[in-house]
Amino acid sequence: MVTVRRMQKEDIPDVMDVERASFPVPWDSGTFEKEVDGNPYAHYFVIEKDEHVFGYCGLWVIIDEAHVTNIAIHPDSRGQQYGEKLFRHACQEAIEHGAIQLSLEVRVSNTAAQHMYRKFGLVPGGIRKRYYSDNGEDALVMWVGLK
Ligand SMILES: CC(C)(COP(=O)(O)OP(=O)(O)OC[C@H]1O[C@@H](n2cnc3c(N)ncnc32)[C@H](O)[C@@H]1OP(=O)(O)O)[C@@H](O)C(=O)NCCC(=O)NCCS
């Protein structure tokens, strides 16, 4: 069975596999450790099947605003609605922690993620020029009001 639950420190090696397979400039494990253990605003979740973690999503909730820091599904498990399941869980948690709006940045070229976000009602709110340091790509800011 596929389940979503809160990320623990012990999940970080599996999360790093997802991270390295998903992003040109992956976070290091120390960053995840700080997010999981040392950041009171951070909420991180993993998606797993048979105790194997194959995706994660993180968000910060500050007062009534949620910001998605990252979401990724391992390439071997994409296209099976798992990203959607994980993102739905994250949005629900944001609401439960008092958020009334949610935002994120996404590469302008990342149409797969943008399509998923649009399914959740997120709309473009602006561009952050040259936001990504690896190739100078712009970020599209997307946001949604939460009910
Ligand atoms: C974005 C990501 C998390 C989606 O996860 P996923 O499990 O593959 O997505 P799902 O199967 O749940 O699909 C949900 C929706 O996303 C969109 N989508 C997913 N893959 C897509 C693709 N290759 N092309 C276009 N749209 C796509 C679709 O709208 C899809 O809904 P549909 O199946 O009804 O058409 C995944 O592609 C990923 O990890 N990408 C690399 C990391 C990344 O870019 N993260 C986002 C950073 S802002």
Side-chain angles (χ1 to χ4, degrees):
M1 194 171 81
V2 173
T3 51
V4 178
R5 60 165 174 79
R6 194 159 279 275
M7 190 189 292
Q8 316 282 342
K9 245 178 142 172
E10 296 70 35
D11 298 319
I12 291 174
D14 282 347
V15 168
M16 284 303 299
D17 287 344
V18 176
E19 181 73 6
R20 280 191 283 258
S22 299
F23 296 110
V25 187
W27 284 4
D28 60 25
S29 55
T31 302
F32 284 104
E33 277 171 33
K34 281 191 212 127
E35 288 288 79
V36 169
D37 262 4
N39 180 351
Y41 303 109
H43 305 269
Y44 277 70
F45 309 97
V46 293
I47 186 164
E48 69 176 355
K49 185 178 188 183
D50 304 330
E51 297 186 12
H52 172 65
V53 168
F54 61 89
Y56 82 93
C57 180
L59 48 99
W60 291 354
V61 182
I62 300 173
I63 310 179
D64 57 5
E65 289 191 20
H67 189 78
V68 176
T69 57
N70 241 342
I71 179 167
I73 298 289
H74 192 281
D76 294 345
S77 299
R78 288 183 193 158
Q80 300 173 64
Q81 309 299 310
Y82 294 140
E84 208 169 305
K85 183 180 173 79
L86 184 57
F87 194 69
R88 185 174 301 109
H89 184 98
C91 290
Q92 200 54 46
E93 289 275 346
I95 292 168
E96 280 166 22
H97 285 88
I100 57 169
Q101 81 169 45
L102 176 142
S103 65
L104 51 80
E105 286 98 12
V106 56
R107 287 179 192 261
V108 290
S109 66
N110 192 350
T111 50
Q114 288 172 33
H115 279 140
M116 184 176 80
Y117 300 144
R118 280 181 190 273
K119 285 183 81 175
F120 286 85
L122 278 85
V123 292
I127 294 280
R128 293 197 204 284
K129 289 300 248 182
R130 300 187 63 77
Y131 183 78
Y132 296 98
S133 57
D134 60 313
N135 64 353
E137 188 171 350
D138 296 346
L140 178 66
V141 179
M142 297 184 78
W143 76 280
V144 65
L146 300 169
K147 301 179 262 334

